[in-house]
Amino acid sequence: GGWRVTAVDPRASDGEPFVRAAVEELDAAEYEPFDAAVAVLSLHHAGDVGVVLDKVCSLLKPGGVFVVDEFRKEHLADEATAAFYYHQRRSLLCAGRRESGGGGRSPGGGSFESWFSRLSEHRAGVHEEGEVLAALEERFATRSLCYGPFLFRQGLDAEVEPLERKLIEEGGIRPTGLRWVGVLGAESGG
């Protein structure tokens, strides 16, 4: 009984259950079809989202579930959302917290304006939500899609999550997290 897990990441540790590779490099013939796959904060960085998702389809059995936890990068273009993140990170740094996480979005020592400008350049290199969702929906039947907090996971404390959630609910900032669940149909399998 139980689950057999295979973790795929180009920077993975050596040894089971890890496979050090990009998903699109896997040979589906080397694996039993998987019941489910999970992609966490990876599709927005994929070179070609379609190629990655085609490989996921070839690795899943018909009816297999695909769960995606993603970042909606375009919502950091909203100044209020970006300011929330910037000032939360700056507060932690001023309180003596060491840099951690943040995915290249560290506020450093500069002004909000200079950081916001750098952030815009950083966002240009990753896929937007619309591209990712369109590619998912071409290949899977969507079962669930919801939006919510994400910034608290990027170098902030978990204790910030309720504040981020409250500000989203009040319309003060935009939700930067996306959770999507889809199912591979029999006719969709690789």
Side-chain angles (χ1 to χ4, degrees), residues 39-61:
V40 178
L41 304 177
S42 55
L43 294 178
H44 70 277
H45 288 294
D48 184 329
V49 176
V51 169
V52 171
L53 294 178
D54 288 343
K55 182 57 72 168
V56 170
C57 290
S58 76
L59 293 164
L60 284 172
K61 69 180 187 180

Side-chain angles (χ1 to χ4, degrees), residues 41 69-89 92 97 100-103 105 112 115 119 123 147-165 167-168 172-179:
L41 304 177
D69 183 17
E70 261 302 337
F71 171 56
R72 300 169 78 201
K73 66 139 184 165
E74 58 272 24
H75 285 254
L76 274 182
D78 173 65
E79 195 166 334
T81 304
F84 167 79
Y85 180 69
Y86 172 86
H87 291 295
Q88 290 292 324
R89 289 287 303 264
L92 290 170
R97 172 74 61 83
S100 65
R105 292 175 289 281
F112 171 74
W115 174 82
L119 182 66
R123 283 194 327 267
Y147 301 101
F150 170 80
L151 297 174
F152 75 95
R153 294 166 47 188
Q154 290 294 293
L156 302 177
D157 281 336
E159 290 79 15
V160 174
E161 189 268 342
L163 174 60
E164 185 179 351
R165 183 175 300 283
L167 290 170
I168 291 167
I173 64 173
R174 295 191 178 164
T176 54
L178 170 147
R179 296 246 168 89

